[in-house]
Amino acid sequence: MKRKIKEGFSRVGFLIFFWLIIGVGFGLLYHFLPGDLYQNGQETTSLLDSIYFSFITLLTTGYGDIVATGPIRILTIVEGLMGWLVFGIIVYKIVSAKEDQILEEVHKRSNEQAIGKIRNYLFISNTNLNRFINNLNIKKISPKFAGYELGIISTTLEANIYDAKRFLCRDRLEEIDQIRPEDLILIN
């Protein structure tokens, strides 16, 4: 999951680089294609002004200090749309990577809680079984009652073991009776 998050952020870096290339590319187009850019009523032929105009258009800010005339106005529309599109993808990638990070943390915490519950239930079952054995050894339990209490303890233990199996095999429910040694590491 962490690899996926890193990939998401590296894609954002690529998209930002792509966005910069678009801005410079359109700036070069504005500079070399026929059409005019006007600044304060006078034509501007500066490459720096063309790139500045390109990034202002790409950001869809449009201060109005430089104005396109002629056929390059169509390019400004295309560039504005590309700016919106790439910016939207960048925001999507950032939000998606952060969402994956949050979901991973929630998943980890819910697993820790489930493992904690299983450990507690198994500990309680173990304590009850040890108490039963001790009481049986010192003859504190009558044989008639011993069968009943052992039945309760074994039923509870069986339910706890089943819950542990279900948790450990949650991604392969058809194999619930086949616990692998690496599954047991979680609850040790």
Side-chain angles (χ1 to χ4, degrees), residues 21-34 37 46-52 54-55 72 75 79:
I21 295 296
I22 291 172
V24 171
F26 272 94
L28 292 172
L29 284 174
Y30 294 141
H31 184 71
F32 292 112
L33 285 179
L37 292 178
S46 165
L47 179 61
L48 190 60
D49 284 344
S50 296
I51 291 174
Y52 164 78
S54 174
F55 277 99
I72 63 170
L75 277 180
E79 185 182 19

Side-chain angles (χ1 to χ4, degrees), residues 161-178:
I161 290 171
Y162 180 77
D163 287 345
K165 280 182 179 180
R166 237 183 44 227
F167 174 76
L168 295 172
C169 301
R170 66 192 173 281
D171 57 338
R172 47 190 171 78
L173 286 177
E174 67 280 352
E175 304 172 18
I176 198 160
D177 291 326
Q178 300 171 4

Side-chain angles (χ1 to χ4, degrees), residues 99-164:
E99 183 181 55
D100 287 345
Q101 197 175 25
I102 291 169
L103 285 174
E104 181 180 315
E105 182 65 28
V106 166
H107 185 71
K108 180 181 171 188
R109 286 185 183 184
S110 69
N111 280 346
E112 288 171 355
Q113 287 177 345
I115 290 170
K117 282 182 182 179
I118 290 170
R119 281 182 177 164
N120 287 340
Y121 292 150
L122 290 173
F123 177 77
I124 291 169
S125 291
N126 184 36
T127 304
N128 288 340
L129 190 57
N130 285 335
R131 184 180 43 81
F132 171 77
I133 291 170
N134 287 337
N135 287 339
L136 194 58
N137 284 339
I138 60 172
K139 299 188 185 343
K140 195 173 182 180
I141 299 176
S142 69
K144 183 179 179 183
F145 185 68
Y148 173 74
E149 189 169 341
L150 186 58
I152 292 173
I153 291 172
S154 66
T155 303
T156 305
L157 184 58
E158 187 178 322
N160 292 337
I161 290 171
Y162 180 77
D163 287 345

Side-chain angles (χ1 to χ4, degrees), residues 7 11 20 43 55 57 67 119 144 159 172 180:
E7 286 175 5
R11 288 184 186 141
L20 291 171
E43 185 177 353
F55 277 99
T57 303
V67 180
R119 281 182 177 164
K144 183 179 179 183
R172 47 190 171 78
R180 302 173 301 202

